[in-house]
């Protein structure tokens, strides 16, 4: 069973706005632990850390510096 990793909603004024994947701290295909810091994202001049919601193998869906909608799937943990 896979678990989606979502881009966090960082702007209450524009919860459907866009943001950018700043840095992936875990590589695509890397095994991660639940709660492990895996990425940093930015939206409306606000940066946030993204933690793995479960343990497993991380599969990126969005590349670094790519634009994503807040709340969208940015990776999957298998």
């Amino acid at each position: 069973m896979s678990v989606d990793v979502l881009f966090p909603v960082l702007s209450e004024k524009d919860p459907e706005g866009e943001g950018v994947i700043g840095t992936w701290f875990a590589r695509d295909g890397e095994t991660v632990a639940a709660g492990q810091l895996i990425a940093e994202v930015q939206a409306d001049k606000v940066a946030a850390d993204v933690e793995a919601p479960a343990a497993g193998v991380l599969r990126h869906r969005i590349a670094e510096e790519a634009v994503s909608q807040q709340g969208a799937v940015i990776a999957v943990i298998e």
Side-chain angles (χ1 to χ4, degrees):
M1 181 169 102
S2 63
V3 176
D4 292 339
V5 178
L6 305 178
F7 193 110
V9 176
L10 301 176
S11 172
E12 301 226 356
K13 293 179 185 176
D14 187 15
E16 296 180 4
E18 296 179 332
V20 175
I21 303 295
T23 303
W24 282 108
F25 299 124
R27 295 181 315 273
D28 187 56
E30 183 176 335
T31 299
V32 296
Q36 178 179 336
L37 181 62
I38 58 172
E40 179 184 67
V41 297
Q42 300 174 14
D44 285 341
K45 299 181 184 179
V46 174
D49 293 333
V50 178
E51 296 179 353
V57 177
L58 181 68
R59 301 291 180 198
H60 295 179
R61 295 290 184 251
I62 305 288
E64 283 186 359
E65 302 303 321
V67 175
S68 175
Q69 184 172 2
Q70 294 179 69
V73 176
I74 59 172
V76 174
I77 297 178
E78 301 174 333

